[in-house]
Structures are given as C-alpha cells and as structure tokens.
Amino acid sequence: MTPSRSLLDPRGPRFAAAVTAAVLVAVLLTGSGWLALAQAAVFAVASVHPRLNPYALLYRAVIAPRLAPPAELEPVEPVRFAQLAGLAFTLVAAAGYLTGAALLGLVAAALALAAAFLNAAFGLCLGCEAYLVFRRVTGRPMAARVAR
Amino acid sequence: MDPSPLAGGAVGAVVLVGSTVYGLWRRRRDGAFRSAGGAELPARSANDDASDDGSALLRALGVEAGIPATLLQFSSAFCAPCRATRRLCGEVSALLDGVRHVEVDAESHLEAVRALEIWCTPTVLVVDAAGRIAGRATGQPTKAQLIAAVAPLLAAPTEEPEVAR
C-alpha cells in the first residue's frame, strides 16, 4: 500500500506516540537530558514529515504488514504540528536537565508525556486543540487552510 | 528539586493517571450534542430572522434560511478528526432530506468563532430553519449522534420540536 503524501495511516503516529511516551517515562526516571535531546531529534525529523519518524518507520516495517489496511486515513498537517509542539517541549526538557534546572526539565518532560500518552491511548492531539485557542487569542490572519 | 528517579517516577505516575482520567472524560463528552447557544444568540420567529444578529452571523457563514437542519461544522488546518467528521456529516446530509452540511474554516472566521464560543475543532452546530442553534457538539460525533441531533428538527416542521417526542 502506498498512501499519498498528504494522508497517513493514523495508527502510525499513535504507535510513534506510544514509543515516545515510553521514552519520556525513561527521561523522567533517569533525569537524562541527553535522552530528552535524542527524543527532540526524533521530533525534529518527524516534523519534516511524520513518515520519516524512526518510530513510524518501525511501525511500517514491522507492524503495519500484520494489520488490516486502515479504515480511515488522517491528514498530515495536524500530525506535523504535534511533532513541532513535541519538539519545543522536549528541547526545553533537555535544556533544563542539561543545565541543572532539573525542575524545568521535569515539568517540560511531564507535559510532553501527557500529550504523547493522550495521543497514544485516546487519539487526542492536545497541540492541535491548542492551535485554535492560540489563533483565537492572537487573531492574526494566516495562510493556513482546512486540509481537504 | 532533586532530579531523583523517585520524583521523576512519581511525576510520571501522576501524569499518566491524570491523562487517563482526562482522556476518558473526553471520550464520553466528544461528539455528544448539547443544546446551547440559544441564550447567547437570541433568535426570534422565522419571519423576523432577517433582523436578527445571530441569524445574520450564521448566514454569513453559509447557512441558508428555511433548511430544516443545517450541520454547521467548524474545522481547522491542524485537526485530525475534522476529516472524519466531514465525511459523517456529508453522509447524514445525503441520507436525510432537509439536512444540509456546511463546513467553515474556523481560522478564516475568527469573529464568528468568538461570537459563537467555538474553542476547539471540530465543533458541529445544529441550526434549525429559523436560524436558531438547536445543539452543539465538540469533537467527532458518531453517525447515530448526528442523526439523533437533527431528527427532532425534521420530525417537526412547525415551530415546536417537542411535538415530535
């Protein structure tokens, strides 16, 4: 199956979010800024295109072939936006842990964990929902459009 | 704070439990239609709606007067469930006479978004023939929820939806 570049099997990002949540639990347990930075790098790659996410590559190589084709596809843009939000939080977490501001690292990693876990377990995208709230408050016009 | 595994583990556990509670609450709430908006957008009778600010607002979004039930869907670019919601609303409007689906990009209509108290996408408003908001649902509704939300408006072409029950 070769889905178009603008649509995704939604189970791929959810699998990636589950792996991400596990990594973030490890970050919280170890307090490792380097692990947070590694996760930030994964988010950075995924924000270019979610299909490049190493976890998503694992999903497509190992898991997707064993599953039925997806009943519903989802647009790429919300997933990309979520990766950017994840990137921001894990960068703050890495910076906090690596500079000795462990409380900052803890809070940022905890927020990232909440978002990743909600995505993995419930398919909710907190960053996506925050987006309209942000736009309501700022109100500047922007070229973004509803994805068809 | 000390970055001990104990503190990190405790925070992680709290986050996972809290997220689970929130996720379960959202699963219950999403897609459920509530009657809302009537108080904020006072609508008068069907004859009078031309002068009604609320109806004018809805008409500017593409809602046509006289359609028994309009599913007015607010979507945004970064919204995964909007696509599925669009498909479901389209199916319901094709299935039932008198139901029309209108989708608007929330970002392009921020004034209306503020006036109608839209905070997240997708939000689906059910608008009756007189331009009154009969219900609203945030999150992706099921087909059954959509049909149940428009049914009272279709069964009662007169002014009183209660007649249908």
Side-chain angles (χ1 to χ4, degrees):
Chain A
M1 190 189 67
T2 51
S4 85
R5 292 209 26 102
S6 62
L7 291 174
L8 293 171
D9 176 350
R11 297 168 299 183
R14 283 184 73 167
F15 173 79
V19 178
T20 304
V23 170
L24 289 167
V25 167
V27 168
L28 284 171
L29 286 174
T30 61
S32 164
W34 293 110
L35 188 56
L37 198 59
Q39 179 57 49
V42 168
F43 276 131
V45 171
S47 67
V48 175
H49 195 288
R51 286 173 63 81
L52 300 176
N53 184 329
Y55 309 154
L57 294 176
L58 180 70
Y59 168 81
R60 285 206 305 286
V62 178
I63 299 171
R66 293 158 205 270
L67 301 177
E72 187 99 55
L73 295 176
E74 85 178 353
V76 165
E77 280 311 312
V79 182
R80 277 191 63 191
F81 186 79
Q83 309 305 309
L84 284 171
L87 174 61
F89 278 103
T90 46
L91 277 180
V92 172
Y97 282 125
L98 290 175
T99 60
L103 182 59
L104 178 68
L106 188 76
V107 170
L111 292 172
L113 173 61
F117 176 78
L118 281 170
N119 195 330
F122 297 97
L124 291 174
C125 174
L126 285 190
C128 304
E129 302 196 355
Y131 177 73
L132 182 63
V133 175
F134 173 75
R135 293 285 295 121
R136 270 189 64 149
V137 174
T138 59
R140 281 174 292 112
M142 197 178 116
R145 261 183 44 78
V146 172
R148 283 281 152 192
Chain B
M1 185 195 274
D2 201 46
S4 69
L6 196 63
V11 168
V14 168
V15 165
L16 293 180
V17 170
S19 302
T20 302
V21 170
Y22 176 73
L24 290 172
W25 175 74
R26 282 290 304 266
R27 185 173 281 180
R28 258 187 49 162
R29 191 205 68 172
D30 277 13
F33 279 90
R34 323 181 290 287
S35 56
E40 298 135 43
L41 286 173
R44 284 142 209 143
S45 72
N47 327 324
D48 197 28
D49 65 1
S51 59
D52 182 356
D53 281 353
S55 289
L57 183 68
L58 293 172
R59 271 202 312 282
L61 294 172
V63 174
E64 288 172 13
I67 305 281
T70 302
L71 295 169
L72 178 59
Q73 177 187 344
F74 287 85
S75 297
S76 64
F78 303 118
C79 166
C82 288
R83 188 169 181 270
T85 303
R86 172 191 314 143
R87 182 177 58 74
L88 289 169
C89 289
E91 282 176 17
V92 170
S93 64
L95 182 72
L96 300 174
D97 279 341
V99 180
R100 185 164 170 261
H101 176 219
V102 175
E103 185 182 12
V104 297
D105 179 15
E107 277 188 75
S108 316
H109 301 89
L110 285 176
E111 289 305 315
V113 162
R114 293 192 187 100
L116 295 167
E117 295 286 316
I118 309 289
W119 281 102
C120 69
T121 54
T123 293
V124 180
L125 304 182
V126 178
V127 184
D128 71 8
R132 282 178 298 226
I133 297 170
R136 76 162 61 205
T138 56
Q140 181 184 335
T142 63
K143 201 168 174 179
Q145 284 172 319
L146 284 170
I147 291 173
V150 296
L153 303 178
L154 302 180
T158 51
E159 280 290 289
E160 303 303 325
E162 292 79 22
V163 175
R165 291 171 191 264

